[in-house]
Amino acid sequence: MEVRIAEDWKRILQPEFDKPYFERLTAFVRSEYASHKVFPQGRNIFRAFDKCPFGELKVVIIGQDPYHGDGQANGLCFSVNDGVPFPPSLENIFREVRDDMGVPIPSSGNLDRWAEQGVLLLNSVLTVRAHMAASHAKQGWEQFTDAVVRAIAERKEGVVYMLWGSYAQRKGAIADASRNLILKSVHPSPLSVYRGFFGSHHFSQANAYLAAHGKTPVVW
């Protein structure tokens, strides 16, 4: 199957695109876009890969499914479009960056600037019906994004995995802690953020690890 995605990712993931489950997933997604309001916009489904080519990847952050509110999802996990108010989890992420790195909270929640520095902002499920959280779960996206994480784990080392919450930790469990930096905490949602996300210092730890491995730290 022909999929529009960054060329280096396409070479790696083509075996997934050719599997029967992905054909079924594609048919489901097309039907959903044709009959309902679905986020993100179709051209942004694989935007996380386009903004962070495989060759540039050095950090992986795993989310669950896209924001389902109008105008929020832009194809990168936790990210929102310019001018969109910060969802609570993103607000908490920025608070931890501020406290950890000593930088002010930005005016925009658009995380393109992270992705363009080699941060893969990967949702487990890449589409969602408007105002219906997890409505596209268990349709095949999880199998595809498991293959993405597996491909990274098999082909790269010296990667920082930021695994926030039990869902992300299960998905990232394939990564080898002896060859990468695995950072774990609770999810940054208001329900759990005070149980270990605040004060986790993941961003400074990531940069120290990248620098120690000869890579440019991320400007968070």
Side-chain angles (χ1 to χ4, degrees), residues 130-205:
H131 315 300
M132 294 180 63
S135 49
H136 286 186
K138 298 181 173 61
Q139 296 292 335
W141 279 130
E142 294 93 339
Q143 184 174 344
F144 172 69
T145 52
D146 280 349
V148 171
V149 177
R150 185 167 59 250
I152 297 167
E154 290 173 350
R155 291 169 171 82
K156 279 185 175 284
E157 59 182 57
V159 173
V160 179
Y161 292 81
M162 293 183 171
L163 306 178
W164 301 331
S166 58
Y167 186 94
Q169 289 166 22
R170 288 194 299 272
K171 198 164 191 75
I174 191 173
D176 185 348
S178 70
R179 301 191 301 121
N180 305 279
L181 177 64
I182 315 296
L183 299 173
K184 299 180 182 180
S185 80
V186 296
H187 194 274
S189 76
L191 295 174
S192 57
V193 70
Y194 286 100
R195 292 191 281 109
F197 183 80
F198 285 153
S200 61
H201 302 289
H202 281 185
F203 303 96
S204 58
Q205 289 184 67

Side-chain angles (χ1 to χ4, degrees), residues 5 11 23 38 73 75 94 108 120 149 152 171 182 200 208 213:
I5 193 171
R11 288 192 296 272
E23 186 174 347
V38 175
F94 285 152
S108 172
L120 180 65
V149 177
I152 297 167
K171 198 164 191 75
I182 315 296
S200 61
H213 287 76

Side-chain angles (χ1 to χ4, degrees), residues 86 90-91 94-98 103-108 113:
F86 302 162
L90 182 59
E91 175 75 34
F94 285 152
R95 286 178 61 185
E96 176 61 17
V97 172
R98 178 196 64 193
V103 298
I105 291 175
S107 58
S108 172
R113 60 190 181 276

